[in-house]
Amino acid sequence: MENKTFKDLDFKPHQLKHICENATQAKIQFKNGYSLSVIFGEIFYSNGIDTYEVGCFCGGEMQYIDGVIDGIQGHLNEKKVTDLMLKIQNL
């Protein structure tokens, strides 16, 4: 089965859209139980142009995975989001 990449993310308006007009969020669940939240908008760790804030979760808890993700990661471009998605899917 093919791994998910940035192009598979489905961005929807973020709950803080009333504060930041371009605030969007995509959530994706992987078969191994991990999920990612990818957020866009200048009020987050994103420049509101071409970088994103990413958090990894499992069982509703934020994940800190040595060598992969240390809490929230910000200012990631599309390629870096895809790279992170691939690493997490292959855990």
Side-chain angles (χ1 to χ4, degrees):
M1 174 153 259
E2 189 173 313
N3 284 323
K4 302 290 184 186
T5 64
F6 186 88
K7 67 178 175 52
D8 296 302
L9 296 173
D10 181 20
F11 285 89
K12 298 185 187 310
H14 190 276
Q15 64 184 0
L16 296 178
K17 189 161 183 67
H18 65 285
I19 296 172
C20 176
E21 187 175 313
N22 68 346
T24 58
Q25 180 177 26
K27 295 179 181 179
I28 191 163
Q29 179 77 40
F30 302 122
K31 291 185 182 222
N32 62 4
Y34 289 98
S35 64
L36 283 184
S37 168
V38 182
I39 302 176
F40 177 84
E42 63 271 355
I43 63 171
F44 308 108
Y45 294 114
S46 161
N47 63 9
I49 300 168
D50 60 1
T51 63
Y52 303 83
E53 173 184 310
V54 180
C56 179
F57 300 86
C58 189
E61 299 289 326
M62 171 119 8
Q63 298 297 297
Y64 299 85
I65 305 165
D66 287 339
V68 179
I69 190 166
D70 186 20
I72 298 292
Q73 291 203 298
H75 304 287
L76 302 179
N77 62 26
E78 289 182 17
K79 181 188 179 323
K80 288 183 179 179
V81 173
T82 289
D83 291 346
L84 184 57
M85 290 173 72
L86 295 174
K87 286 179 183 177
I88 291 171
Q89 289 172 86
N90 290 309
L91 289 173

